[in-house]
Amino acid sequence: MSIIGTRRGYWRRGARGRGYGREREYRSNRRWGGERSWGARRRGSTGGVEMLARAGLVARGVVYVVVGIIAVMMALGIGRHAPDRRGALEAIAAQPLGYVLLWLLVIAFAGLAIWRLVQAATPGVHVSAGQRLFRLGVGIAYAIVFFSTLWFVRDGRTPPSSDTTPRDVSAEVLSWNGGYVLLVVAGIVIAAAGVVSALRGFRAEFVDDLRMGWMPAATQDAVVALGRFGYVARGAIVAGIGIALIDAAVTYDPDAAKGLDGVLAEFAHTWLGPWLLLAVALGLIAFGILSFFEAKWRRTYGGLPV
């Protein structure tokens, strides 16, 4: 039996891992001020939100896998779609029954938005103001994704390229007095968030949000491997977006700002060539597959996934 350390404690692999996971989750709820009976009372009123949240995690996984596949094709020189959410939607729409899947994604993205917004609004002694603000921001972001996907499916309105928004925002901010300072600060914050995401993956801290003890040993190994690879790849992309924003501010060139599409293209132009892009693309696929595991094994608190 092996033991892997995490930020809050340890989870075990082996024959007794399943029972240990249940015991650890109960202890964690007590430590953060929750009680199992309180969670049971809350579960009835939040069951619908939990179902939407788990469906949303599946939708997130689908998009990451499709974007990763597009990026792999881009690295191999055979890509036809942009390696971002717009390209993923277009690729899905081109498949048989693609629009059926897109409507399911619309519903699932709405579930992600509702889940995060409910999290932000739900009182709890274990939730800090910073966590509430983060969840509110993520909920708003998923709401934007929901509406843009809905408009694409219903009206055929293609979402803008992932590079368009950062360039437009950079151009607007640079037109303000001292706007370059705000842009530099924003770039530093985004780049730091990417580093934190990569470290979260490298340290396997994401297992704190999962019922690791309830999984078979082989599933535990797969989740840790996928999470480390996926979080590091996603962190590298986020850090790249932040660095591009700093470059746009320093050079007073809003065209230097980049989104997912532009950052992935930059990876292909490094000294490593397409190999770095290929590695990051496979990491995005890994993160998408991890999302499927999260949909099943994400821990709950008070009837809501954490």
Side-chain angles (χ1 to χ4, degrees):
M1 180 184 298
S2 61
I3 303 177
I4 294 182
T6 70
R7 185 169 40 141
R8 299 179 188 168
Y10 297 90
W11 56 271
R12 295 173 182 266
R13 293 200 304 260
R16 298 184 181 179
R18 187 180 299 270
Y20 180 85
R22 289 195 181 99
E23 181 184 355
R24 178 176 179 268
E25 183 174 8
Y26 177 54
R27 288 203 307 267
S28 176
N29 282 350
R30 291 190 61 186
R31 179 176 59 199
W32 294 110
E35 293 293 341
R36 182 174 288 182
S37 59
W38 181 85
R41 291 195 299 270
R42 290 280 301 171
R43 187 176 299 277
S45 60
T46 57
V49 176
E50 179 180 356
M51 182 178 66
L52 287 172
R54 296 189 187 280
L57 289 170
V58 172
R60 187 184 73 179
V62 169
V63 172
Y64 268 94
V65 168
V66 174
V67 170
I69 292 173
I70 292 173
V72 168
M73 296 174 67
M74 179 179 172
L76 299 177
I78 57 176
R80 294 188 303 165
H81 301 281
D84 56 14
R85 187 169 54 86
R86 181 185 67 169
L89 294 177
E90 291 174 343
I92 293 172
Q95 304 306 312
L97 300 177
Y99 271 89
V100 175
L101 178 57
L102 286 174
W103 274 112
L104 294 176
L105 290 180
V106 168
I107 297 171
F109 282 133
L112 281 175
I114 293 170
W115 166 41
R116 287 304 193 180
L117 292 174
V118 169
Q119 272 190 326
T122 301
V125 295
H126 65 293
V127 180
S128 67
Q131 288 174 312
R132 284 179 180 278
L133 187 61
F134 170 77
R135 292 170 177 179
L136 177 62
V138 173
I140 293 173
Y142 278 130
I144 294 173
V145 172
F146 158 71
F147 281 113
S148 63
T149 307
L150 175 63
W151 292 333
F152 174 78
V153 177
R154 189 187 64 184
D155 305 327
R157 292 170 55 182
T158 303
S161 166
S162 63
D163 288 343
T164 301
T165 299
R167 288 172 181 171
D168 291 345
V169 171
S170 296
E172 176 65 25
V173 173
L174 286 174
S175 68
W176 304 345
N177 290 330
Y180 73 95
V181 176
L182 294 177
L183 215 55
V184 168
V185 172
I188 292 174
V189 169
I190 293 173
V195 173
V196 169
S197 176
L199 289 175
R200 176 176 169 81
F202 183 76
R203 296 171 179 171
E205 293 178 353
F206 54 88
V207 302
D208 292 338
D209 295 333
L210 302 174
R211 292 184 172 122
M212 298 299 294
W214 292 24
M215 302 178 191
T219 302
Q220 293 175 354
D221 292 336
V223 165
V224 171
L226 289 168
R228 281 179 167 155
F229 193 15
Y231 269 96
V232 170
R234 194 174 73 153
I237 292 172
V238 174
I241 293 173
I243 293 171
L245 203 59
I246 296 172
D247 183 35
V250 172
T251 61
Y252 275 86
D253 180 12
D255 289 338
K258 294 178 176 62
L260 174 60
D261 190 357
V263 169
L264 288 176
E266 284 296 315
F267 286 158
H269 295 130
T270 64
W271 64 275
L272 290 173
W275 295 108
L276 178 58
L277 173 59
L278 183 62
V280 173
L282 293 175
L284 292 177
I285 295 174
F287 189 84
I289 297 173
L290 174 69
S291 297
F292 301 147
F293 284 106
E294 283 189 280
K296 181 175 182 180
W297 301 108
R298 189 94 175 191
R299 289 196 303 111
T300 58
Y301 180 80
L304 282 175
V306 295

